[in-house]
Amino acid sequence: MNLEQLREERPLVHHITNEVVMNFTANGLLAFGGSPVMSKEKEEIEEMAGIANAIVLNIGTVRKEDLETMIKAGRTANKAGVPVLLDPVGAGATTFRKQAVQRIVNEVDISVVKGNAGEIGALADIPLKVKGVDSEEGGDAEVIALEAAKTLQTRVVVTGETDVISDGKDFFTSSHGTPLLGYITGAGCLLGSLIAACISIEEEKIEAVQFAINFYNKAAERAEKKAGGPGTFIPHLLDELGETDD
Amino acid sequence: MNLEQLREERPLVHHITNEVVMNFTANGLLAFGGSPVMSKEKEEIEEMAGIANAIVLNIGTVRKEDLETMIKAGRTANKAGVPVLLDPVGAGATTFRKQAVQRIVNEVDISVVKGNAGEIGALADIPLKVKGVDSEEGGDAEVIALEAAKTLQTRVVVTGETDVISDGKDFFTSSHGTPLLGYITGAGCLLGSLIAACISIEEEKIEAVQFAINFYNKAAERAEKKAGGPGTFIPHLLDELGETDD
Amino acid sequence: MNLEQLREERPLVHHITNEVVMNFTANGLLAFGGSPVMSKEKEEIEEMAGIANAIVLNIGTVRKEDLETMIKAGRTANKAGVPVLLDPVGAGATTFRKQAVQRIVNEVDISVVKGNAGEIGALADIPLKVKGVDSEEGGDAEVIALEAAKTLQTRVVVTGETDVISDGKDFFTSSHGTPLLGYITGAGCLLGSLIAACISIEEEKIEAVQFAINFYNKAAERAEKKAGGPGTFIPHLLDELGETDD
């Protein structure tokens, strides 16, 4: 995965995403080296998705009428061979959300699904032993990632204290990061945008996903050292996303 | 009011709120110790409101179609005994807003209404002597809070240089804070979220409201000392919301 | 252009703007000395636009149904003699956007149009020699500003490394600023809000536009010196917008 190339090409990542995190996500992706676009108007969605290098579908504040737009954008991307990342925010919280993400995975080829254990479990219909999920051992997260990747037949990222990536055969983990990521809104959503940017320029998708996660977690660790709390952590995290890893 | 307990339980506060302040509000509530959720999709609103520990209804950028959703969420909360906070942003500015908030207070049992003198005056149909409102004496704010609490038969917070709380019998004031709160957007909206979190875990509602306001104002005072202006005030305020008072 | 007067009057700028930048724009305008309002509910738009001192129409995340609301707001402002600024975000990206902005300029008297070379070119149907646009020479930007101002019969601002202002007869440039403005979302959108505030209190519109651009660029230069990257640049920029130039 070549970060220099990404920063030169500045891949256009089209987001149909949640209203809470739009600004933060856009700033994070800009700092990292991508180029964010956000629109959910059905009339322009095919044209917009058609010029994008990657698509992010995030259901954080999805409305019923936006679901069709998400599917239209995803299918346009599929036809163009452009990768689609799905972030099933709160998928387990309501029947509406669970059905929404299941419709998306049925109708769109998803390159990467990224969520926490509860969200991925809800999407892939994996019953969770509630205890242990998000636990330090991370044992369940590995099983969930692997099982979900098999069921959904795509790559799956389960975020938590240890992030787990699986392609249905193997799994990889990243235990970097900081608890501060859990005290700011959109930390996971922004990670989704970075992954989308990386898989848009790298053929080896799992390598691209690993790169994005490790880069993000290490940037968060550096930002944590400069921060006095979750508030000052945010601008420092954005700064660090614009740096190199070395 | 037990802050430690709040931070352990992390009460889920469901917001149907204004688009300008979603990110700031979510980050502020997370820093303080609550757990924000934001959704205005009618299809999931009863399920979502049903799992929340408190509801915030904020009409800052309300659309006509969201009014029904707000009322649905509020009634679900009422049935479950979950407190509802109403923030009548700009209630006096247009006929649409004034009618919207009056419909909400007619159809939903509100635990706390929070707004500035103009907003509370518009909601409770109290004619304002424009001069003196927001004045340092705060005389009018006390009258408005008391009268509105009587008319609306609920607890009322009137924000300003001095914040006033009334339950229709007594009133309490908090004169801490900083003028910088008037130079950032959503300062009042975030206070509403903190109040909602506090009343969700504390039986003595007025005590919970007082705690939230005092905590917020003192955090703002500490943040002001570290800030170079309204921009750097924001991350420092978020940091301070995660601290303890002592 | 009298900044002190602006900060005393705190002109109310009503925005129908894009969801990505609402919070940042509101905070920037507040810091500068204006008073932001944001609403796109059709039922209140005439009343809201009727009390505003300036209107910003920004199509960054425009939905089909909001186009009518924008035109309604613009016409209300026109009747009241209140200035309207148009920000044709991404006008060249899709047919929907191109038609949307062209409908707006046909049906509303616009005081100032502000965009980058590609956006202004798309709006005014000026074919772009892609090379050279956004280049340091800025040669094309000057031609585009002048031509667009003639075609649209209004004032035009073309942003880029050098910002160009034209009234169709002359043009003026501002080459201050920092590349960091290109690494945060909404930098151009916020400039639009500052311009709108300035033209609302100053009869000499071109002078007001020049003032806003120069003030913004110089604030950005000061902020850059305090910033470690695009993330920390944001709060410092907001701080500097509250300062005076001297």
Side-chain angles (χ1 to χ4, degrees):
Chain A
M1 178 48 223
N2 189 335
L3 180 59
E4 231 171 284
Q5 183 200 340
L6 184 146
R7 285 177 175 172
E8 210 160 291
E9 294 184 9
R10 302 195 73 72
L12 194 69
V13 181
H14 182 234
H15 295 71
I16 304 182
T17 191
N18 94 57
E19 299 172 331
V20 185
V21 305
M22 284 175 139
N23 186 268
F24 175 64
T25 310
N27 276 325
L29 181 58
L30 274 166
F32 180 62
S35 193
V37 167
M38 300 188 177
S39 157
K40 44 190 176 189
E41 170 50 45
K42 208 186 250 179
E43 292 227 353
E44 69 174 350
I45 207 65
E46 284 166 305
E47 223 176 327
M48 201 59 111
I51 56 170
N53 301 111
I55 307 277
V56 170
L57 305 178
N58 174 318
I59 66 151
T61 55
V62 71
R63 308 288 292 248
K64 204 181 170 188
E65 62 268 29
D66 298 330
L67 190 54
E68 300 301 326
T69 316
M70 285 188 170
I71 289 166
K72 224 171 165 182
R75 288 188 159 184
T76 305
N78 284 166
K79 272 182 220 152
V82 160
V84 180
L85 180 137
L86 172 65
D87 195 335
V89 179
T94 67
T95 311
F96 169 72
R97 280 170 194 243
K98 196 168 173 177
Q99 288 173 348
V101 286
Q102 281 174 338
R103 240 197 95 193
I104 294 172
V105 295
N106 286 338
E107 301 193 28
V108 178
D109 280 338
I110 304 293
S111 302
V112 178
V113 178
K114 183 215 65 64
N116 62 34
E119 292 160 353
I120 299 296
L123 172 58
D125 255 328
I126 301 168
L128 297 186
K129 289 172 285 173
V130 174
K131 241 190 161 135
V133 164
D134 284 341
S135 76
E136 266 173 64
E137 311 99 84
D140 285 358
E142 291 170 3
V143 174
I144 291 166
L146 198 63
E147 285 304 309
K150 275 186 211 163
T151 305
L152 302 170
Q153 295 187 293
T154 186
R155 298 157 201 101
V156 170
V157 176
V158 176
T159 55
E161 284 191 39
T162 296
D163 299 322
V164 183
I165 311 159
S166 180
D167 58 1
K169 284 170 252 149
D170 300 306
F171 61 81
F172 311 89
T173 61
S174 173
S175 53
H176 303 281
T178 147
L180 279 176
L181 288 171
Y183 282 85
I184 64 169
T185 193
C189 303
L190 173 51
L191 174 58
S193 298
L194 304 192
I195 293 173
C198 289
I199 58 175
S200 82
I201 70 148
E202 170 60 53
E203 270 315 298
E204 294 299 324
K205 302 303 179 199
I206 285 287
E207 189 194 314
V209 176
Q210 281 183 284
F211 175 86
I213 293 176
N214 281 323
F215 186 93
Y216 188 60
N217 282 337
K218 282 192 254 168
E221 286 176 4
R222 295 193 306 271
E224 185 187 27
K225 284 183 196 142
K226 300 182 178 177
T232 48
F233 175 65
I234 295 170
H236 284 300
L237 176 60
L238 295 176
D239 278 3
E240 294 299 332
L241 290 176
E243 300 295 326
T244 52
D245 244 358
D246 325 308
Chain B
M1 178 49 222
N2 189 335
L3 180 59
E4 231 171 284
Q5 183 200 339
L6 185 145
R7 286 177 176 172
E8 211 160 291
E9 295 184 9
R10 302 195 74 73
L12 193 69
V13 182
H14 182 232
H15 295 71
I16 303 182
T17 190
N18 95 56
E19 300 172 330
V20 185
V21 305
M22 284 175 140
N23 186 268
F24 176 64
T25 309
N27 276 325
L29 181 59
L30 274 166
F32 181 62
S35 193
V37 167
M38 300 187 177
S39 156
K40 44 190 175 188
E41 170 50 45
K42 208 186 251 178
E43 292 227 353
E44 68 173 351
I45 207 65
E46 284 166 305
E47 223 176 325
M48 200 61 111
I51 57 171
N53 301 110
I55 306 275
V56 170
L57 305 178
N58 174 317
I59 66 151
T61 55
V62 71
R63 309 287 292 249
K64 204 182 171 187
E65 62 269 29
D66 297 330
L67 191 54
E68 299 302 326
T69 316
M70 285 188 170
I71 288 166
K72 226 171 164 181
R75 288 186 158 186
T76 305
N78 285 166
K79 272 181 221 153
V82 160
V84 180
L85 180 137
L86 172 65
D87 195 335
V89 179
T94 67
T95 310
F96 169 72
R97 281 171 192 243
K98 195 168 173 177
Q99 288 173 348
V101 286
Q102 282 173 339
R103 242 198 93 192
I104 293 172
V105 294
N106 286 339
E107 301 193 27
V108 179
D109 280 339
I110 304 293
S111 303
V112 178
V113 178
K114 184 215 65 64
N116 62 34
E119 291 160 353
I120 299 295
L123 172 57
D125 256 328
I126 301 167
L128 298 185
K129 289 172 284 173
V130 174
K131 243 196 160 127
V133 164
D134 286 339
S135 76
E136 266 172 64
E137 312 98 84
D140 285 358
E142 291 170 3
V143 175
I144 291 166
L146 198 62
E147 284 304 309
K150 274 186 213 162
T151 306
L152 303 170
Q153 293 185 295
T154 186
R155 299 157 200 99
V156 170
V157 176
V158 176
T159 56
E161 285 190 38
T162 295
D163 299 321
V164 182
I165 310 159
S166 181
D167 58 2
K169 285 169 250 149
D170 300 306
F171 62 82
F172 312 89
T173 61
S174 173
S175 54
H176 303 282
T178 146
L180 279 176
L181 288 170
Y183 282 85
I184 63 169
T185 192
C189 303
L190 173 50
L191 174 59
S193 298
L194 303 191
I195 293 173
C198 288
I199 58 176
S200 82
I201 69 148
E202 170 60 53
E203 270 316 298
E204 294 299 324
K205 302 304 180 199
I206 284 287
E207 188 195 315
V209 175
Q210 280 182 286
F211 175 85
I213 293 176
N214 281 324
F215 186 93
Y216 188 61
N217 282 337
K218 282 192 255 169
E221 286 175 6
R222 295 193 304 273
E224 184 186 29
K225 284 182 196 142
K226 300 181 177 177
T232 48
F233 175 66
I234 295 169
H236 285 300
L237 177 60
L238 295 175
D239 278 3
E240 295 299 333
L241 289 175
E243 300 295 327
T244 52
D245 244 358
D246 324 308
Chain C
M1 178 49 224
N2 188 336
L3 179 60
E4 231 171 284
Q5 184 200 338
L6 185 145
R7 286 177 175 171
E8 210 159 292
E9 296 184 9
R10 302 194 74 74
L12 193 69
V13 182
H14 182 233
H15 296 70
I16 303 182
T17 191
N18 95 58
E19 299 172 331
V20 186
V21 304
M22 284 175 139
N23 185 268
F24 175 64
T25 309
N27 276 325
L29 182 59
L30 274 166
F32 181 62
S35 194
V37 168
M38 300 189 177
S39 156
K40 44 190 176 189
E41 169 51 46
K42 207 185 250 180
E43 291 226 353
E44 68 174 351
I45 207 66
E46 283 167 306
E47 223 176 326
M48 200 60 111
I51 56 171
N53 301 110
I55 307 274
V56 170
L57 305 178
N58 174 317
I59 65 151
T61 54
V62 72
R63 308 287 291 249
K64 203 181 170 187
E65 62 268 30
D66 298 328
L67 191 55
E68 298 303 325
T69 316
M70 285 187 170
I71 288 166
K72 225 169 163 182
R75 289 186 159 184
T76 305
N78 284 166
K79 271 181 222 153
V82 160
V84 180
L85 179 136
L86 172 65
D87 195 335
V89 179
T94 67
T95 311
F96 169 72
R97 280 169 195 245
K98 195 168 174 177
Q99 288 173 349
V101 286
Q102 281 174 338
R103 241 197 94 192
I104 293 172
V105 295
N106 285 339
E107 300 192 28
V108 178
D109 281 338
I110 304 293
S111 302
V112 177
V113 178
K114 183 216 65 66
N116 62 34
E119 291 160 354
I120 300 295
L123 172 58
D125 256 329
I126 301 167
L128 298 185
K129 286 172 286 173
V130 174
K131 236 180 167 143
V133 165
D134 285 340
S135 75
E136 265 173 64
E137 310 99 84
D140 285 358
E142 291 171 2
V143 175
I144 290 166
L146 198 62
E147 284 304 309
K150 274 186 211 162
T151 305
L152 303 170
Q153 294 187 294
T154 186
R155 298 154 201 102
V156 170
V157 176
V158 176
T159 55
E161 284 190 39
T162 296
D163 299 321
V164 182
I165 310 159
S166 180
D167 58 2
K169 284 170 248 146
D170 300 305
F171 62 83
F172 312 88
T173 61
S174 172
S175 53
H176 303 283
T178 145
L180 279 176
L181 288 170
Y183 282 85
I184 63 170
T185 193
C189 303
L190 172 51
L191 174 59
S193 298
L194 303 192
I195 293 173
C198 289
I199 59 176
S200 82
I201 69 147
E202 170 61 51
E203 269 316 298
E204 295 299 324
K205 302 301 179 200
I206 284 286
E207 189 195 315
V209 176
Q210 281 183 287
F211 176 86
I213 293 176
N214 281 323
F215 186 92
Y216 188 61
N217 283 336
K218 281 192 255 169
E221 286 176 4
R222 294 194 304 271
E224 183 186 29
K225 284 182 196 143
K226 300 180 178 179
T232 48
F233 175 65
I234 294 170
H236 285 300
L237 176 61
L238 295 175
D239 278 2
E240 294 300 332
L241 289 176
E243 300 295 326
T244 52
D245 243 357
D246 324 306

